[in-house]
């Protein structure tokens, strides 16, 4: 997939943000909704699916392997699945665009089917290592040929029957866990993943909802997740809640712009995803949960956020797995806090769409923020609520979260901030800038 032409954008401070908004459907849940529906026999219906480029890459890949996937005029997606074990040989390479989640989870699916699939991606995705998924899938019998450094393009030659394994995650990664569980779906016997540090559990919740035999228990080394193979998944009607990672941008925006008050509707409150809310509340943010409810097995609520002065904290490292994607916007909140915030324990940021530690340090320093870089995070000297100097040119490094985070930073900058390329925002939040305009009216 060739990257679209760069789209630079200049933003500057504006008045209070006010209004009610909904954020796009949760990206993690959207990916899994399509994959699991494609493995069920019969028609599943999905409402609220995130229609960003990453999720559309998953839809295209599942179509290429035999599923029928269509979006109705009513916005509801209908998926006719092929059944576990029924994936077909794709005729061409699977283009994953910028989506690491699609790549790693689909590698797991292919690993236990008697098919061969080649995975390609854009320049950003092709720079990201896949070794952590290659290792367990190879133990199950899949043959994986990758580019140097365990990168894309790579080819997965699946095996059937695959070998069930017991695998302890060496790093906290929901993607690696999910890849092994998905390979286990079509593997005779019981496949186990041991998770020393909890990570987002959307796969476990949704697989159970589709009828897979999956258990979670506490063991001496952490959670033991067991899946019984040769599963039969039943079609479902799914409602995808709002993405807490996308909501994070507006939580920070309302917190740092004086006079702001917003309500974000229908946000996923899965406890493995609410680390940013916990961190912002420690900093003094005014975030209230309203109308808590359960939708499709996930906790959901509306969030009311009002401007509040933020204070620096040492971010508890144990929050890292539940907010790994939100660190860039947390760094922006820290830039406006009173005092020096230290956020560590996030090694994983080095291998995201960009090296998010180095990229955010460079961007914030360009905007006039003093930072100190560690191997696993940043220390940030806050402005105490004062406007940042701004007058900066920053590079997004083809990373949607960097682009959106620096757009929010610009709302509290004295001089304009120009982001070299905001086109990658379409991978996860196509309406981000329209929402920003509407809240600022």
């Amino acid at each position: 997939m060739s990257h679209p032409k760069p789209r630079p954008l200049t933003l500057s401070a504006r008045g209070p943000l006010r209004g009610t908004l909904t954020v796009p459907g949760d990206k993690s849940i959207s990916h899994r909704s399509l994959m699991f529906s494609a493995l069920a026999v019969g028609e599943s219906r999905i409402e609220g699916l995130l229609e960003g480029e990453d999720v559309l890459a998953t839809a295209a890949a599942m179509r290429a392997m035999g599923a029928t996937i269509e979006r109705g005029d009513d916005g509801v997606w209908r998926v006719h699945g092929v059944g576990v074990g029924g994936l077909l040989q794709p005729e061409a390479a699977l283009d994953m665009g910028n989506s690491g989640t699609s790549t790693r989870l689909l590698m797991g699916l292919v690993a236990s089917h008697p098919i061969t699939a080649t995975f390609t991606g854009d320049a950003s995705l092709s720079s990201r290592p896949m070794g952590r998924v290659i290792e367990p899938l190879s133990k199950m019998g899949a043959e994986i040929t990758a580019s140097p450094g365990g990168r894309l393009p790579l080819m997965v030659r699946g095996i059937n029957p695959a070998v069930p394994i017991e695998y302890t995650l060496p790093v906290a990664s929901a993607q690696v866990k999910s890849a092994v569980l998905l390979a286990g779906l079509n593997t005779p016997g019981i496949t186990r993943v041991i998770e020393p540090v909890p990570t987002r559990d959307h796969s476990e919740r949704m697989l159970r909802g589709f009828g897979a035999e999956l258990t979670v228990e506490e063991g001496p080394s952490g959670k033991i997740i067991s899946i019984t193979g040769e599963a039969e998944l039943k079609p479902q009607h799914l409602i995808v809640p709002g993405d807490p990672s996308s909501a994070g941008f507006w939580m920070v925006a309302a917190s740092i712009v004086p006079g702001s008050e917003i309500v974000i509707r229908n946000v996923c409150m899965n406890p493995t995803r609410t680390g940013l809310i916990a961190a912002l509340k420690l900093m003094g943010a005014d975030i209230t949960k309203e109308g808590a409810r359960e939708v499709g097995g996930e906790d959901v609520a509306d969030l009311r956020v009002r401007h509040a002065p933020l204070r620096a904290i040492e971010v508890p490292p144990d929050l890292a797995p539940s907010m790994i994607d939100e660190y860039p916007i947390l760094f922006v909140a820290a830039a406006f806090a009173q005092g020096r915030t230290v956020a560590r324990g996030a090694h994983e940021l080095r291998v995201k769409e960009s090296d998010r530690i180095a990229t955010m340090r460079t961007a914030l320093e360009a905007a006039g923020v003093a930072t100190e870089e560690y191997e696993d995070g940043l220390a940030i000297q806050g402005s105490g609520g004062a406007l940042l100097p701004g007058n900066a040119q920053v590079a997004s490094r083809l990373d949607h979260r960097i682009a959106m985070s620096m757009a929010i930073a610009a709302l509290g900058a004295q001089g304009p901030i120009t982001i070299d390329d905001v086109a990658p925002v379409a991978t996860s939040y196509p309406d981000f800038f329209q929402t920003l305009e509407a809240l600022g009216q």
Side-chain angles (χ1 to χ4, degrees):
M1 180 181 281
S2 60
H3 187 70
K5 189 178 169 194
R7 186 181 143 213
L9 186 66
T10 300
L11 299 112
S12 50
R14 56 191 72 194
L17 303 177
R18 294 185 174 277
T20 298
L21 67 140
T22 54
V23 290
D26 184 84
K27 189 155 70 135
S28 297
I29 296 173
S30 292
H31 282 303
R32 289 162 174 82
S33 297
L34 288 169
M35 290 181 198
F36 301 167
S37 296
L39 291 171
V41 177
E43 182 185 270
S44 293
R45 297 169 68 237
I46 309 169
E47 294 181 45
L49 189 84
L50 167 62
E51 296 181 8
E53 291 170 359
D54 282 12
V55 174
L56 297 181
T58 292
M62 297 316 298
R63 281 192 197 101
M65 291 188 282
T68 303
I69 302 177
E70 292 166 345
R71 182 192 190 278
D73 294 337
D74 54 1
V76 177
W77 289 70
R78 291 168 175 81
V79 182
H80 286 269
V82 295
V84 172
L87 292 182
L88 303 179
Q89 171 73 43
E91 292 179 9
L94 302 176
D95 185 347
M96 298 289 95
N98 188 238
S99 182
T101 304
S102 307
T103 308
R104 294 187 178 108
L105 269 59
L106 290 174
M107 284 171 66
L109 275 187
V110 170
S112 59
H113 281 76
I115 61 176
T116 299
T118 298
F119 293 84
T120 63
D122 69 9
S124 168
L125 181 61
S126 299
S127 71
R128 297 166 68 182
M130 298 292 156
R132 60 179 58 171
V133 185
I134 293 171
E135 184 200 359
L137 297 181
S138 298
K139 287 181 175 173
M140 296 180 80
E143 200 178 302
I144 301 173
T145 310
S147 298
R151 292 175 163 83
L152 268 55
L154 61 75
M155 185 173 75
V156 180
R157 190 186 302 279
I159 186 167
N160 187 256
V163 181
I165 60 170
E166 182 173 291
Y167 187 70
T168 300
L169 293 177
V171 292
S173 171
Q175 292 179 1
V176 178
K177 169 177 68 174
S178 297
V180 176
L181 293 176
L182 292 190
L185 269 179
N186 197 42
T187 299
I190 296 175
T191 298
R192 288 190 177 87
V193 178
I194 298 168
E195 185 177 59
V197 178
T199 65
R200 54 184 70 175
D201 62 354
H202 302 303
S203 291
E204 297 94 303
R205 288 174 183 242
M206 198 180 291
L207 282 168
R208 273 205 212 99
F210 271 88
E213 200 178 315
L214 183 144
T215 61
V216 181
E217 53 196 339
E218 290 298 332
S221 306
K223 269 189 186 168
I224 304 167
I225 303 127
S226 306
I227 191 161
T228 301
E230 299 179 306
E232 287 186 28
L233 302 189
K234 298 171 182 64
Q236 301 294 311
H237 177 200
L238 302 163
I239 299 170
V240 181
D243 195 322
S245 299
S246 297
F249 299 106
W250 308 121
M251 289 183 227
V252 172
S255 297
I256 66 174
V257 178
S260 296
E261 180 173 350
I262 63 170
V263 175
I264 314 168
R265 297 258 186 241
N266 202 41
V267 181
C268 178
M269 290 283 109
N270 181 310
T272 65
R273 299 290 302 283
T274 53
L276 178 67
I277 296 174
L280 289 175
K281 284 190 164 183
L282 288 173
M283 297 174 80
D286 183 350
I287 302 171
T288 311
K289 196 159 71 166
E290 300 178 348
R293 53 204 181 272
E294 190 177 289
V295 177
E298 294 282 356
D299 299 328
V300 171
D302 303 330
L303 299 176
R304 185 177 297 275
V305 190
R306 299 179 183 89
H307 169 256
L310 301 179
R311 57 181 175 270
I313 60 167
E314 287 219 6
V315 180
D318 60 358
L319 286 179
S322 62
M323 58 181 250
I324 198 68
D325 286 332
E326 289 82 74
Y327 270 88
I329 193 62
L330 177 72
F331 294 155
V332 171
F336 291 88
Q338 180 74 49
R340 186 174 186 263
T341 295
V342 179
R344 301 193 66 171
H347 300 86
E348 189 69 10
L349 297 181
R350 294 284 186 190
V351 291
K352 289 289 187 175
E353 281 83 335
S354 67
D355 176 341
R356 287 181 173 161
I357 295 172
T359 306
M360 281 303 294
R361 177 186 63 78
T362 304
L364 288 171
E365 286 185 350
V369 181
T371 71
E372 183 181 349
E373 183 174 335
Y374 305 109
E375 183 50 41
D376 60 347
L378 289 177
I380 295 167
Q381 185 63 46
S383 71
L387 293 174
L388 306 181
N391 290 316
Q393 306 268 343
V394 301
S396 68
R397 305 276 177 219
L398 299 181
D399 191 327
H400 56 128
R401 297 204 194 280
I402 303 294
M404 289 185 278
S405 296
M406 291 311 296
I408 298 304
L411 302 181
Q414 212 160 351
I417 292 178
T418 299
I419 302 161
D420 70 337
D421 187 7
V422 298
V425 170
T427 64
S428 67
Y429 201 154
D431 296 332
F432 177 82
F433 292 105
Q434 292 94 309
T435 302
L436 179 57
E437 285 303 315
L439 291 175
Q441 293 294 321

